[in-house]
Every structure is written in C-alpha cells, then in structure tokens.
C-alpha cells in the first residue's frame, strides 16, 4: 500500500510539473530573407536559440558578443542548426560604453541594413561593476542596450518596418525604480529586478518615441529557462539551481519562442510597447505601465550615457 501511495504521489508531482512547464511554440513560418538581425549576447542561452530560429527563416544574423572565441564557436553551431551560412559575429562589450559606441560605428559602416534588433544579453544579480562604474546589472542590462539602441535607431528607421525586442523578466514586479539610486546599491537580486523593470520602461518609451516612424518595440519575457546564467555563482548555488531548473524551467529553445514571436509575427506588429510572455501579450503590474516613469528613466539614461 505504501508503495502504491509513493507511486501515485510521484506521478502526480511529475504531472503537476509538466503542467506548470506547458508553453506555446511559435509555428508561423514567415520567411525573413533579405532582413538583417542583430542579437546581443547571442553566443548562448536564449539569444543563441533566437539566432537559430531567425537564421532558419532566412535572415542575415549577426550576434554581438564580448568573447570572440565563444562567438566563433556559437556561429559554427548556429550555422549547422539553422542550415544557413548567413550568420556572423561582431565584438561588443555592453559593460563598456566606449565599446558600445565603437561597435555601433563599425556596424553602421559595415552593415547597410538593420531590421530586427534583439537586446538579449543580460547579467544576473552579482556584486560587480562595469568599466564606467555602474552596477553590472544596470550597466549591461539597461544602459549598454540603451546606448546601443539609440545609436542604431537611425538605421532602424531607414529600414522600417523594423523591430526592437528587449528581454525582460517577470522578476520586474519585485522592485520599483529609485531615481536617487538608479545604480542600485541593493541586494544583487533586487538590482537584477530593477534592471529588468528598466528594460520594460525602456521598451515602452522607445515605442512612444518611434510611433509612426515604422519602428516597433517589445518587452519579451522568455520565462524561467535552462540557460547558463548560474555560471556566475558558486558551485553550491549552481548545484541547488540545477535541481530547481530541472523541476521548473524550460529549454532555451522554448524560451526563445516569445522573442521570435515578437520579431516575426503579424499580430505583434500591431502591439508596439507591449509586454509579451509565452508568445502572447501579457498584463504588467500598474506601476510598470507608468509612462511618466518611463520618460524620466529615458532622460536620466541619456544623461548617464552622455547622449543628451
Ligand atoms: N534564464 C532565465 O530564466 C531568464 C528569465 C527571464 C529573463 N531572462 C533574460 O534573458 C536574457 C538572456 O539570458 P539567458 O538566460 O539566455 O542567459 P545566458 O545564457 O547567460 O546569456 C546571457 C548572454 O549575455 C551575454 N553577456 C553578458 N554580459 C555581456 C556583456 N557585457 N557584453 C556582451 N554580452 C554580454 C553573455 O555572454 P558571455 O557568454 O560572454 O557571458 C551571454 O551570451 C537576459 O536578458 C535575461 O535577463 C532570462
């Protein structure tokens, strides 16, 4: 009897886990021949799977990565998986604003078009600083992408209709922005939450600024995915997270589906400024829809990256 109860309990547990991990797969096979896609941090995780999906649809895909060796290896793998030769890499370190500016100069010189920009690269909450003195989360996840997008915006407008997809995370809801301390001297996890909230405000304000100019902007949440973000932590933490990820997370290929949906689907084309989860529009907490805060963050970011 005891054995039967154990079997039933285990089966129910696995069924509940399976139900919790059920996710949509974006199946629209729209071709992207002649389109150029730029993906930051496309050498691993969600970014790499996004690159495979978009290259498979015929796009010219460029992954922008900080480590040329990892990038080269990823390009080889993306080419094999997508059966496309149209995949390249360029060097970009989002933790260094000078690197971002130089990257954009080279990109604009070399590439005559840009139709889809995926602001994917991201750092989890760790206690570290960028070369410009910002917390790694705020500097890489928000400020680096803020500068990158602004410098590439003229090309995106020239190539309209074009799209900007910025990756965010449901953990945005655990924090609010503090304009007295945007750099976030908090617990690393809270710093991460704020950077992901900043990604949402950024994508909303970008949608507002580009309204009627042929550029649309989306905040995409891939969900909890089995990527390599734990490599920044201790062995013990990694082991614990492996178990948690095995139970609750989905493969990066599945997480990337929401990004691909935002990049490709006709439905998303009409929903600029939206927040997307599991290949569909989702509702944000009211504080994350505050257009005044989004504008204020945009202006503060302009000052911080010296764009203003
Ligand atoms: N994992 C999740 O469950 C989850 C959930 C919600 C949202 N997200 C978001 O999804 C996005 C992708 O994350 P992921 O889970 O796929 O993690 P990942 O596999 O760790 O990918 C992160 C990518 O960002 C790159 N990167 C980090 N710092 C960089 C810098 N300074 N300059 C250029 N590239 C840099 C990494 O490059 P290196 O390989 O050189 O480190 C890597 O390619 C992130 O924005 C993350 O916040 C993830």
């Amino acid at each position: 009897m005891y054995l039967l109860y154990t079997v039933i309990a285990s089966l129910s547990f696995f069924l509940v886990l399976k139900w919790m991990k059920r996710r949509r797969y974006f199946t629209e096979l729209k071709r992207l021949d002649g389109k150029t896609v730029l993906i930051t941090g496309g050498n691993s995780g969600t970014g790499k799977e996004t690159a495979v999906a978009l290259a498979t649809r015929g796009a010219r895909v460029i992954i922008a990565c900080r480590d040329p060796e990892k990038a080269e290896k990823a390009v080889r793998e993306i080419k094999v998986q997508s059966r496309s030769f149209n995949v390249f890499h360029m060097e970009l370190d989002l933790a260094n604003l000078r690197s971002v500016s130089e990257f954009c100069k080279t990109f604009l010189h070399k590439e005559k078009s840009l139709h889809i920009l995926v602001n994917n690269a991201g750092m989890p909450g760790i206690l570290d600083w960028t070369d410009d003195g910002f917390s790694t989360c705020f500097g890489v996840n928000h400020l680096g992408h803020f500068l990158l997008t602004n410098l590439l915006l003229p090309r995106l407008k020239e190539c309209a209709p074009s799209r900007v997809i910025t990756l965010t995370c449901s953990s945005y809801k655990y924090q609010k922005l503090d304009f007295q301390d945007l750099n976030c001297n908090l617990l690393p996890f809270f710093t991460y939450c704020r950077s992901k909230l900043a990604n949402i405000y950024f994508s909303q304000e970008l949608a507002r600024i580009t309204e009627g100019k042929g550029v649309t902007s989306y905040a995409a949440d891939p969900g909890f995915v089995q990527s390599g973000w734990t490599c920044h932590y201790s062995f013990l933490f990694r082991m614990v997270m492996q178990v948690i990820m095995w139970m609750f997370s989905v493969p990066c290929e599945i997480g990337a589906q929401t990004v691909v949906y935002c990049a490709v689907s006709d439905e998303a084309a009409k929903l600029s400024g939206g927040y997307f989860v599991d290949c569909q529009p989702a509702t944000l907490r009211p504080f994350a829809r505050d257009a005044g805060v989004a504008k204020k963050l945009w202006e503060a970011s302009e000052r911080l990256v010296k764009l203003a």
Side-chain angles (χ1 to χ4, degrees), residues 244-299:
I244 296 176
M245 286 210 282
W246 174 78
M247 288 201 287
F248 299 108
S249 66
V250 296
C252 295
E253 185 194 349
I254 304 290
Q257 296 306 308
T258 302
V259 186
V260 179
Y261 162 88
C262 290
V264 175
S265 85
D266 293 333
E267 188 183 48
K270 299 173 221 137
L271 301 169
S272 185
Y275 167 64
F276 299 83
V277 182
D278 199 18
C279 298
Q280 59 188 334
T283 309
L284 285 165
R285 296 277 165 95
F287 71 87
R289 282 181 267 148
D290 189 327
V293 178
K295 189 167 190 295
K296 195 169 167 188
L297 175 66
W298 188 280
E299 288 164 359

Side-chain angles (χ1 to χ4, degrees), residues 187-237:
L187 274 179
F189 176 66
F190 291 152
T191 310
Y192 175 74
C193 299
R194 287 195 184 181
S195 74
K196 292 287 123 183
L197 176 60
N199 288 151
I200 291 173
Y201 286 132
F202 161 76
S203 93
Q204 289 171 352
E205 184 62 9
L206 179 64
R208 196 188 64 76
I209 288 173
T210 56
E211 197 176 351
K213 298 190 172 85
V215 182
T216 47
S217 164
Y218 312 90
D221 178 354
F224 189 24
V225 295
Q226 285 149 19
S227 64
W229 64 273
T230 52
C231 70
H232 301 282
Y233 295 96
S234 68
F235 178 75
L236 188 66
F237 181 81

Side-chain angles (χ1 to χ4, degrees), residues 26-37 51-61 81-86 115-116 161 163 260 263-266:
F26 180 66
T27 49
E28 214 178 284
L29 283 174
K30 198 164 131 195
R31 297 289 304 171
L32 294 173
D33 303 285
K35 304 279 183 201
T36 301
V37 176
V52 171
L54 299 182
T56 303
R57 286 172 165 81
R60 173 180 172 80
V61 173
Q81 288 175 43
S82 63
R83 299 176 187 209
S84 163
F85 287 111
N86 222 352
H115 302 93
I116 299 170
R163 303 187 188 196
V260 179
V264 175
S265 85
D266 293 333

Side-chain angles (χ1 to χ4, degrees), residues 135-180:
S135 69
T136 311
C137 271
F138 186 63
V140 172
N141 300 3
H142 172 62
L143 285 182
H145 284 124
F146 177 83
L147 182 60
L148 180 84
T149 309
N150 271 282
L151 295 179
L152 298 179
L153 200 51
R155 184 57 48 85
L156 285 158
K157 285 181 186 163
E158 278 166 31
C159 298
S162 53
R163 303 187 188 196
V164 180
I165 299 102
T166 305
L167 273 83
T168 183
C169 177
S170 56
S171 63
Y172 82 84
K173 55 174 85 100
Y174 302 126
Q175 283 287 306
K176 288 185 182 167
L177 291 191
D178 174 3
F179 282 90
Q180 304 307 314

Side-chain angles (χ1 to χ4, degrees), residues 65 72 118 132 190 221 223 240 265 289:
C65 312
E72 253 169 53
V118 184
D132 308 285
F190 291 152
D221 178 354
V240 174
S265 85
R289 282 181 267 148

